[in-house]
Amino acid sequence: MIDIQNYNNNNIFAKILRNEIPSKKVFENDDVYAFEDINPQAPVHVVIIPKKEFCSLNDFSSNASDETIIAMMRSIKKIADILELNNGYRIISNVGQVGGQEVPHFHIHILGGASLGRIISS
Ligand code: 5GP
């Protein structure tokens, strides 16, 4: 079961941040790194992560500085512009087991490039 209580610095996204495994960069600044998802669920699928260590949205929301939270939120529109998602997009953050979180480093998915339908398929 995924542990989102204790940060594990061997998670895949920590390794991407340390350049131990490659990624296709879309955007980067002092606080945030964004890269293409390796298993895209839409024509455009990018993952946005804070450079600091947070296990999940819960950890980020409770413990990140206001500056870091603002940087993450502001990065979304910048990345949407870079990706030319002019007709809209969806953001998702999976939290814990029920949410389907696989990688225990907080991230926001940004998806677009085609009509995405309902939030959860029935
Ligand atoms: P989660 O299910 O935790 O919300 O999303 C984790 C995401 O990370 C998945 O969409 C998965 O495809 C992506 N992912 C897992 N391993 C890698 C990797 O090594 N490189 C990249 N670019 N994405 C990955």
Side-chain angles (χ1 to χ4, degrees), residues 2 12-13 16 21-24 35-41 45 47 92-95 99-105 107 109:
I2 189 170
I12 297 277
F13 293 170
I16 285 176
I21 60 172
S23 61
K24 292 185 180 169
F35 53 97
E36 293 179 10
D37 195 290
I38 203 167
N39 183 21
Q41 302 299 306
H45 185 173
V47 178
I92 296 172
S93 187
N94 297 318
V95 181
Q101 184 178 358
E102 295 172 358
V103 179
H105 180 113
H107 51 282
H109 299 261

Side-chain angles (χ1 to χ4, degrees), residues 31-71:
D31 300 295
V32 168
Y33 183 66
F35 53 97
E36 293 179 10
D37 195 290
I38 203 167
N39 183 21
Q41 302 299 306
V44 175
H45 185 173
V46 165
V47 178
I48 312 169
I49 60 177
K51 289 186 173 176
K52 291 186 180 146
E53 298 176 349
F54 301 100
C55 300
S56 73
L57 177 63
N58 286 350
D59 186 16
F60 184 75
S61 179
S62 298
N63 298 315
S65 68
D66 291 355
E67 183 186 355
T68 301
I69 291 172
I70 290 167

Side-chain angles (χ1 to χ4, degrees), residues 1 20 38 50 56 86 90 96 101 105 114 117 122:
M1 190 190 299
E20 292 171 8
I38 203 167
S56 73
N86 304 318
R90 177 174 294 160
Q101 184 178 358
H105 180 113
S122 50

